[in-house]
Amino acid sequence: MSEPTPPVHLDKPPVPATPEQQKILHRIAAQRERIQARRQAYAQADSPADAGAAEMGDDSLVLRCVAFAKQHPAAVVALAGAAMALGPSRLVRWASVALPWILRFRR
């Protein structure tokens, strides 16, 4: 194995950055700050969701459905629209098929 080569410009002082380079360096620093702030915001936003999900495991099925409806209103509207389009007889038929599965998963 060969030894690593030392840097070439050890004895020269650093060259000051031009104004264009300074602008780029400032933009890079600002972008790094934005990325760090975004990561912190995501971490803070995820922590209550994780705590809420852990607490939700002890809730009843009705409370879980209400929590789901609050978090996903578009899905609830789509489900209600599909239920209205199917009609009551098909809805009861599908509920009789799906309800045993739901109750089995609840255990």
Side-chain angles (χ1 to χ4, degrees):
M1 294 172 112
S2 64
E3 294 181 22
T5 58
V8 178
H9 304 290
L10 284 179
D11 54 345
K12 293 183 180 180
V15 179
T18 63
E20 293 84 12
Q21 291 172 336
Q22 283 290 21
K23 286 171 48 177
I24 291 172
L25 291 174
H26 285 297
R27 283 188 3 219
I28 291 171
Q31 183 178 19
R32 286 181 179 161
E33 290 174 8
R34 282 194 310 270
I35 290 171
Q36 183 66 25
R38 185 183 315 149
R39 285 181 183 157
Q40 289 175 351
Y42 282 142
Q44 288 176 356
D46 285 343
S47 60
D50 293 340
E55 292 172 4
M56 197 167 63
D58 296 335
D59 291 341
S60 68
L61 183 61
V62 174
L63 291 176
R64 285 192 227 171
C65 290
V66 170
F68 181 82
K70 286 182 180 179
Q71 291 177 354
H72 306 287
V76 173
V77 169
L79 186 62
M84 287 181 6
L86 286 175
S89 62
R90 285 186 184 167
L91 190 60
V92 169
R93 191 179 323 141
W94 278 103
S96 67
V97 170
L99 190 59
W101 288 352
I102 293 170
L103 293 176
R104 188 178 319 148
F105 288 135
R106 219 176 126 196
R107 294 180 192 161

